[in-house]
Amino acid sequence: AARGANAGYLIIPAIVHWESRADGSLIPSQVDVDLAVIDVETGREVRSTVLEARSHGASGPSKPGDMYSGILESHIADLYGTKAPVKTQ
C-alpha cells in the first residue's frame, strides 16, 4: 500500500507495554509504543523509538489508542519538521 501511494516512508506503531488502571485508582495507566520508520524503497528500518504515555489518574483516557495518539502525532510532526495539528473539541 505504501509503494502504491508513492510514499517515501512507512511508519509502523506497535504497542509493546500496556498497564490499565481502570480500577479507579489514582495510579495512571501506561502505554509504551514502539515506532518504526521504514524506507519504502529498500524495506529497511531507518529509525525506531519507544514512545511512552501516561494517563492522568482516574480522569485520563483508559484506552491505549487514546493515550498515545497525541504523542504519536507530535513525534511524527517532529520527524518531518512540521507542527503537530491542534485538536479542538
Side-chain angles (χ1 to χ4, degrees):
R3 281 193 178 116
N6 293 320
Y9 297 97
L10 175 64
I11 298 173
I12 303 172
I15 296 173
V16 294
H17 181 81
W18 166 240
E19 289 181 31
S20 176
R21 303 290 187 200
D23 57 5
S25 72
L26 295 179
I27 301 171
S29 295
Q30 172 184 339
V31 64
D32 298 338
V33 178
D34 179 49
L35 190 67
V37 180
I38 308 297
D39 182 312
V40 173
E41 185 177 332
T42 66
R44 291 190 173 161
E45 184 177 291
V46 294
R47 180 180 243 177
S48 180
T49 190
V50 175
L51 305 176
E52 300 175 354
R54 309 282 180 276
S55 68
H56 298 287
S59 64
S62 60
K63 296 178 184 174
D66 295 340
M67 290 175 57
Y68 79 77
S69 65
I71 62 167
L72 186 63
E73 289 173 359
S74 177
H75 186 75
I76 292 170
D78 286 345
L79 288 174
Y80 285 98
T82 62
K83 191 173 183 180
V86 176
K87 292 186 178 183
T88 58
Q89 294 183 357

